[in-house]
Amino acid sequence: MVRAVESLGLAGVVATDHLAGWRDPSDPVLEAVTVLGMVGAVAECRVGSLVLQTALRSPSYTADVVETLSSITRSSPLIGLGVGDSRSRREVEAVGMELPPVAERIVRLKETVAAIRSRTPDVEIWVGGWRPELREVAAECADGWNAWGGRPEAFQAAAHHMRRMNPGVLISWGAVLDPRRGIDSLRRVLKQRVDAGAQALVLALTPPRAATIRRWAPLLLGNTSCHPGAEPY
């Protein structure tokens, strides 16, 4: 999949951080830190995470991961961080762990950003999530903010709020896209998000295969009017 992304000239590839399959919880899933180390050592393109769940690892451990990744990748990695959502809670509980209350997870997120900054100050950090508290953390101490899914008007309002808090924070939007919905329809989705303020697009095409990327990404992203100035991942 990474080689497919590189052959198409996309900005890079990011790993998700989940403990169970997307549609079927019994499906196998790649563990994020492991796959980042494997891919980071060989990839020519930029690699990173969207998003590492900060509640699953201590701030110092996540900082170790980022420092190691920065030392083996050809380009500085993109580190997306988050606090988990309802799906994450189900996954965590299924393996016998507990997800702390949101307030505690927000504190852990801030501590993780600070730990990374102390070790690799130049790495680019994004915060992912729709909660207003997460946008505030992104505005306060991150380089970018990502919204996953959601309606276009909600994204436009959130992006406007982010620009008011910190105009320097990069705004990105991502989603799982099924090309069988029709390429023209998906292009309209991307254009709506770019018009609403997205400066980067993080796209997961389903089914997740190299062949899917090679077949559909050129058709989806080939028309630059769909994403003027927005970097595709």
Side-chain angles (χ1 to χ4, degrees), residues 28-146:
V29 64
L30 293 173
E31 197 280 321
V33 171
T34 306
V35 77
L36 280 173
M38 177 189 69
V39 170
V42 300
E44 298 290 342
C45 68
R46 194 178 193 193
V47 302
S49 61
L50 196 72
V51 293
L52 289 180
Q53 296 187 50
T54 54
L56 300 183
R57 305 171 184 86
S58 70
S60 61
Y61 181 81
T62 303
D64 281 342
V65 169
V66 175
E67 187 174 28
T68 300
L69 191 61
S70 296
S71 72
I72 64 175
T73 53
R74 290 166 174 78
S75 301
S76 180
L78 168 63
I79 304 301
L81 303 173
V83 300
D85 53 19
S86 58
R87 178 187 170 199
S88 304
R89 179 177 296 280
R90 293 193 298 271
E91 295 174 358
V92 169
E93 292 176 348
V95 298
M97 300 170 63
E98 292 185 3
L99 203 60
V102 172
E104 292 183 24
R105 284 181 272 154
I106 296 291
V107 171
R108 173 70 67 88
L109 172 63
K110 292 181 178 180
E111 292 173 346
T112 301
V113 173
I116 294 171
R117 294 290 194 210
S118 70
R119 304 272 285 277
T120 49
D122 296 330
V123 75
E124 185 174 356
I125 298 175
W126 291 5
V127 169
W130 281 95
R131 292 178 179 273
E133 309 98 294
L134 293 173
R135 295 202 299 270
E136 291 172 4
V137 174
E140 177 184 344
C141 56
D143 304 296
W145 167 71
N146 176 266

Side-chain angles (χ1 to χ4, degrees), residues 149-210:
R151 299 185 63 81
E153 57 269 22
F155 175 70
Q156 185 172 28
H160 178 70
H161 182 232
M162 177 59 66
R163 285 193 297 270
R164 289 180 58 188
M165 289 190 293
N166 185 346
V169 171
L170 183 142
I171 296 172
S172 69
W173 178 82
V176 178
L177 302 180
D178 187 345
R180 291 169 295 186
R181 287 180 50 190
I183 290 298
D184 288 342
S185 173
L186 295 183
R187 279 180 172 175
R188 286 193 293 272
V189 169
L190 299 187
K191 189 174 189 307
Q192 285 176 336
R193 298 321 191 275
V194 171
D195 290 345
Q199 299 163 289
L201 299 168
V202 185
L203 309 179
L205 301 181
T206 186
R209 301 285 186 272

